[in-house]
Amino acid sequence: MKEVFVVADNVVSPIGKTATENFEQLKKGVSGIEQHNNNFSEQPVYVSLFKENVFVKENKYTRFEQLVIASVEDALSQTDLDVINNNKTIFILSSTKGNISLLETETFDEALKEKISLPHSAKIVADHFKLANKPLIVSHACISGVLALTTAMRLLNAGLYENAIVTGADIITKFIFSGFASFQAISNEPCRPFDAERKGVTLGEAAGTIILSTNKAYSKTGIQLCGGSVSNDANHISGPSRTGEELYSAITHSLAEANMKAEEIGFISAHGTATVYNDEMEAKAFDLAGMNEIPTNSLKGYYGHTLGAAGIIESVMSLHSLNENIILPTKGFLNLGVSKNLHICSTLEKGNYSSFLKTASGFGGCNAAVVFRKS
């Protein structure tokens, strides 16, 4: 089985257009979450949004497609990897809703039906970069980004491809906001993951890209993606497991694939949506895994929940944390508000870290986990 290495990465968000810019902002405690007056809600709402026209390129691309292209373009600029007409490279797009916002502004017909499909957007991006292979779509609620990374790792492990460009992106629209609002899950303040006073999720828009390769020569850091797993609660269409056993299963299978023990993990990048049930479920899963003392953070207080981009951008920021041997604090966290004792980082922590675990959970009871480590 071939090893998989991180070659390059990117994050395009309201606080930066590159991974380095984003990481520097996070170290300063800068968040993209602001109160906005818009058509999402009759009342002002907290959300992390791009300023208008921040990444406009060509009118032939939608706002969503422009965001994906900008992220891939920056990641590719950091590597010598030649992807043009390279049949050994696969492009994987992770998103929950893609161009769904066009339903709010355009007449629904056959042309629009195609335009809002994720395969259509992925093909447009692949054609832009002259990628030889048909792209793959991963759209599996809020685990999409982590699942896309696992999918890429599997394809590279098996030798089907040598390189993978994995991009996650979503933009926030009235359609998406209203869906979360219907669950009464939107916080009336910036989200506070794992905190006793948390009031719900804050949404955000962003894109992130991680380029992977089986050729270590392309990797500047030598960090490997070495384990991944998914599971399902079979509990409820929107509510997560009450026991955490299913996320625990994904965690243990990821660790087993990485040939690591729980205590060897340096830190955990949790899903941490700041909803009552998600944070509690994750806490129980970490407790079952014996990971209570491992430093844990959530980056939702900086970006909001970026849906199909979340697993990617949070992995990218954790990769930079691993490189610098620091753990970013959980913005908004003051007092532990879950039933299990966890080590939630409230300040920037320094140490000697060799690996991290990234988790995600989503509607439909889905869970996912991946392990990255220094080789």
Side-chain angles (χ1 to χ4, degrees):
M1 187 170 68
K2 295 181 180 293
E3 295 180 321
V4 176
F5 298 91
V6 176
V7 171
D9 55 38
N10 164 269
V11 173
V12 180
S13 81
I15 60 173
K17 295 182 181 180
T18 69
T20 299
E21 286 180 10
N22 274 268
F23 194 61
E24 290 303 313
Q25 292 287 71
L26 264 56
K27 287 193 291 185
K28 296 174 184 176
V30 175
S31 171
I33 298 172
E34 297 179 356
Q35 191 176 56
H36 290 266
N37 291 285
N38 50 37
N39 66 347
F40 293 167
S41 170
E42 295 179 358
Q43 304 296 326
V45 294
Y46 284 94
V47 65
S48 179
L49 298 176
F50 286 106
K51 307 301 183 192
E52 285 302 312
N53 301 324
V54 70
F55 43 75
V56 167
K57 288 182 176 292
E58 300 178 47
N59 290 333
K60 67 178 181 179
Y61 300 123
T62 66
R63 189 167 179 264
F64 169 72
E65 290 153 7
Q66 290 169 19
L67 178 57
V68 174
I69 289 170
S71 183
V72 174
E73 194 168 64
D74 178 68
L76 285 174
S77 72
Q78 303 165 34
T79 176
D80 297 328
L81 186 66
D82 182 11
V83 299
I84 296 178
N85 295 319
N86 185 343
N87 60 10
K88 296 179 181 179
T89 299
I90 183 67
F91 172 54
I92 302 177
L93 177 62
S94 160
S95 182
T96 63
K97 291 293 179 283
N99 279 326
I100 200 72
S101 63
L102 299 181
L103 288 173
E104 301 170 18
T105 57
E106 298 185 20
T107 302
F108 186 75
D109 53 22
E110 286 302 312
L112 184 60
K113 185 177 180 180
E114 180 182 15
K115 199 173 182 180
I116 64 175
S117 73
L118 284 170
H120 178 76
S121 292
K123 185 178 185 304
I124 284 176
V125 175
D127 289 347
H128 176 85
F129 291 103
K130 297 180 173 61
L131 299 174
N133 291 305
K134 182 179 180 180
L136 292 182
I137 302 296
V138 176
S139 186
H140 198 338
C142 297
I143 73 166
S144 296
V146 176
L147 180 54
L149 289 169
T150 302
T151 301
M153 182 186 67
R154 295 275 184 269
L155 293 170
L156 270 58
N157 284 157
L160 297 176
Y161 300 94
E162 292 182 1
N163 316 297
I165 302 166
V166 188
T167 302
D170 264 307
I171 57 175
I172 303 304
T173 68
K174 184 177 182 179
F175 178 90
I176 292 173
F177 186 90
S178 64
F180 280 87
S182 70
F183 288 109
Q184 298 182 331
I186 302 291
S187 176
N188 62 357
E189 64 180 20
C191 66
R192 300 170 65 179
F194 296 103
D195 189 76
E197 301 299 320
R198 66 189 185 278
K199 298 179 180 179
V201 71
T202 299
L203 297 178
E205 52 189 16
T209 297
I210 295 179
I211 300 178
L212 302 167
S213 179
T214 56
N215 188 340
K216 189 177 181 179
Y218 286 122
S219 179
K220 297 176 183 177
T221 63
I223 294 176
Q224 295 176 259
L225 173 54
C226 53
S229 181
V230 297
S231 66
N232 196 279
D233 299 342
N235 175 68
H236 190 272
I237 192 169
S238 61
S241 165
R242 296 296 186 263
T243 67
E245 291 180 17
E246 297 78 15
L247 176 58
Y248 163 63
S249 174
I251 291 170
T252 54
H253 281 87
S254 296
L255 290 171
E257 184 171 28
N259 195 27
M260 295 179 67
K261 298 178 180 179
E263 59 268 26
E264 294 179 288
I265 292 295
F267 64 92
I268 301 170
S269 173
H271 194 51
T273 61
T275 59
V276 171
Y277 292 120
N278 174 87
D279 291 6
E280 176 68 10
M281 183 276 289
E282 279 201 289
K284 290 179 177 178
F286 298 148
D287 178 70
L288 287 169
M291 306 178 90
N292 308 69
E293 300 302 318
I294 295 176
T296 300
N297 70 7
S298 166
L299 301 183
K300 298 294 192 296
Y302 303 95
Y303 293 114
H305 192 345
T306 55
L307 310 177
I312 305 289
I313 68 171
E314 292 163 15
S315 291
V316 171
M317 292 297 95
S318 297
L319 287 167
H320 283 250
S321 291
L322 198 60
N323 275 329
E324 293 196 15
N325 282 310
I326 62 174
I327 305 173
L328 296 164
T330 302
K331 194 172 183 65
F333 175 81
L334 294 175
N335 300 298
L336 190 65
V338 291
S339 65
K340 303 300 180 181
N341 187 36
L342 298 180
H343 179 165
I344 304 298
C345 300
S346 57
T347 59
L348 191 146
E349 298 190 17
K350 298 181 180 181
N352 184 19
Y353 308 110
S354 60
S355 62
F356 72 88
L357 171 76
K358 173 71 196 130
T359 59
S361 298
F363 288 158
C366 53
N367 306 286
V370 288
V371 177
F372 289 87
R373 71 172 172 222
K374 295 175 181 175
S375 61

